[in-house]
Amino acid sequence: MLKIFYTDTFPIPLPEKHGFPKDKYPLLRNKISTRLAGKVDMQIPMPASDEAILRAHSAAYLNRFVHGGLTSDEIRRVGLPWSKQIVKRTRYSVGATIAACRAAVAEGFAVNLGGGTHHAFHDRGQGFCWLNDSAIAARAMQAESLAETILIVDCDVHQGNGTAAILKNDPSIFTFSIHGKNNFPYHKETSDMDIALEDGTDDDAYLKALEKGLDKAIQRFSAGLVIYLAGADPYKKDRFGRLALTKAGLAQRDRLVLTRIIKAGLPVTVTMAGGYAPEIQDTVDIHFGTIETVLELSG
Ligand SMILES: [Zn+2]
């Protein structure tokens, strides 16, 4: 049974009409519970410890984040209000990626129904991201001797700038990001491999570029584990994304990434990352499609 970790039961306090689609998380979990009952094992993970977080973040930043010492500028850059509840949710969400990585190493596949908070840097948060779950989880697997080398495949429409910066001088973790060239963040970092796509890139062009990059990354880097950020925001109707993928194209993307990873004999952790379709159900459908593809290919 596919292990799926969720954390939406810990609230994210937001003002009315805030642009962050927090409801996608319970909607997605409910859809999975209803439609895929008996095929998935849904669990709440343990929260990430300070020790784990400090492998990717500075002690000063973690201390400010946990104890409410962030400046208004630091909070504004993240774009979510700070609260004790958000600290708790974030710890659990990072814990979900760590737990999913452990499960993936043991069983081949596992999922976090959140995570992909790739804009968080060593000493600051940004763009809805407080802590970088991919960097923390990759280093947790190394510390636990579960994987020596990790490949991060970031297919969110936004560049994984925080991940690239944190892991810049770390040859044991390979960062691959395929994203919209003109999308946030406007100042891009340098990943181990970046593919920046023009506005309006469609399914065919996207899939060709992804296939090429993915093959090169898998060939060039000897990974023991893959973390796949299956962002729903390359979708053509996304409020923030500038690419033009259809739902069918996104499903093909998931299939392409997962079949390449399976062919290489690697375990994979899948995280959801972003998704800001005007109709939240579209975002939920895209993420749900990712889970269905994982289930099909892991069965
Ligand atoms: Zn995104």
Side-chain angles (χ1 to χ4, degrees), residues 94-133:
V94 172
T97 302
I98 297 173
C101 282
R102 286 192 195 112
V105 169
E107 295 161 22
F109 301 84
V111 173
N112 174 7
L113 288 190
T117 46
H118 58 170
H119 300 309
F121 286 72
H122 179 68
D123 59 356
R124 64 189 188 278
Q126 193 190 62
F128 301 150
C129 304
W130 301 100
L131 297 175
N132 196 305
D133 62 309

Side-chain angles (χ1 to χ4, degrees), residues 150-154 160 163-165 167-168 170 173-177 190-194:
I150 296 96
L151 168 62
I152 297 173
V153 176
D154 189 336
T163 317
L167 301 170
K168 193 173 190 165
D170 186 341
I173 305 171
F174 191 98
T175 55
F176 168 40
S177 179
T190 306
S191 312
D192 292 303
M193 188 184 297
D194 284 298

Side-chain angles (χ1 to χ4, degrees), residues 118-119 156-158 233 274 276:
H118 58 170
H119 300 309
D156 190 275
V157 82
H158 304 100
D233 49 14
Y276 312 94

